[in-house]
Amino acid sequence: VDITTRSTGTTGIFGFGTQQVEGEGAGIVYDKQGDILTDEHVVSGAKSITVTFPSGRKVPARVLGSDTGADLAVIRVHVPSSQLNPLPMANSNSVQVGDGVLAIGSPFGLPNTVTAGIVSQVGRTITAPNQFTIANAIQTDAAINPGNSGGPLLNSDGSVIGLNDQIETANQNAQGEGSNSGVGFATPSNSAVRIAKQVISTGKARNPYVGVSLNPQVSGGAAISRTTETTSSGCKQPPLTPGGPAAKAGLKPGDVITAVDGKSVTSVDSFVGTIATYAPGDTVNLTVQRSGQTKHIPVKLGVQPPHAGC
């Protein structure tokens, strides 16, 4: 489906004026109740949401719930179930590099645009709107542009393996928006299904949280930073969040995590991807290298805060 939004923005040097801001993205019908999945950033701050079906029918929608940390939102429309055709959701863990894919969305206001490509890589990490990390993202060279956000990335069977989310690009259009350079990312379908079930049943989602800042420059595992870093937004990010799960468990700056419950961890991406398969409240046993010694430290996972840093 095509999704258009209206929100209120400010105008003028001092921001005293207001104007209507329009946005566009895409989404997929998830079930016969009228639940539609899209990216959270597509509908964030929207005063009104309109869903357009392939038939041309336009209906209003409301946000049922969203998860900024996974960039996923569930919106709901009220139409007869006979007019709802949910897309099948594939197991994103089975996706392999080289698989053929199709991306569908509304790039530059052109609804129902289909582009083709392959899976360029799996297990990528991308940054969520709240500055936390989204794990197990799927990289593709299928053309993704502004307006594709929230649309499906399909495998050759026509099943959803992810929702198109971001691009990496050095190109910009006339509006200053990034445009396709052949490096796009989709959030994985398994995460979308997990979060959608939570949102539909409870109105909100909960993501697991360790409370560590990791250094991707260190090889051989997921290394906890040794010093406090300053983020691009100017926030001070300590190696361990004070009072967080990792700090309570006794992890220390400089520790290198090499396994989670016996499953090998070779990088920051693999650690983040593994933790994403657990739920808040679960206890994981981390294998840690510290000053040449191997330690086994149980950590009870917390709930991801609304925002990372300050």
Side-chain angles (χ1 to χ4, degrees), residues 99-298:
D99 287 350
V101 292
L102 296 175
I104 305 178
S106 306
F108 306 114
L110 301 169
N112 303 316
T113 294
V114 179
T115 54
I118 63 168
V119 172
S120 303
Q121 193 50 266
V122 296
R124 296 298 197 194
T125 55
I126 56 178
T127 303
N130 65 356
Q131 301 305 303
F132 279 108
T133 299
I134 298 174
N136 299 316
I138 299 167
Q139 181 184 336
T140 180
D141 66 349
I144 297 175
N145 287 289
N148 274 109
S149 290
L153 187 68
L154 305 173
N155 63 17
S156 57
D157 294 328
S159 297
V160 179
I161 61 172
L163 297 184
N164 301 317
D165 192 84
Q166 297 178 17
I167 59 175
E168 187 75 26
T169 181
N171 301 321
Q172 290 186 333
N173 61 23
Q175 287 73 44
E177 298 172 311
S179 57
N180 177 58
S181 291
V183 183
F185 301 96
T187 55
S189 57
N190 286 11
S191 294
V193 170
R194 174 181 62 82
I195 293 164
K197 288 179 178 178
Q198 292 183 45
V199 168
I200 292 169
S201 61
T202 69
K204 59 183 180 181
R206 290 156 42 97
N207 293 307
Y209 178 65
V210 180
V212 293
S213 175
L214 301 173
N215 182 358
Q217 304 303 319
V218 177
S219 60
I224 300 175
S225 298
R226 292 183 178 276
T227 60
T228 296
E229 304 290 339
T230 302
T231 68
S232 58
S233 59
C235 293
K236 300 294 185 180
Q237 189 168 341
L240 299 163
T241 301
K248 289 180 179 178
L251 271 78
K252 297 182 179 299
D255 284 351
V256 179
I257 302 165
T258 58
V260 178
D261 285 339
K263 182 179 179 180
S264 177
V265 167
T266 58
S267 66
V268 169
D269 284 1
S270 64
F271 174 71
V272 173
T274 301
I275 292 297
T277 64
Y278 291 85
D282 289 346
T283 296
V284 295
N285 289 294
L286 303 185
T287 302
V288 173
Q289 296 296 320
R290 178 187 297 169
S291 301
Q293 295 184 326
T294 300
K295 296 184 177 294
H296 300 279
I297 302 176

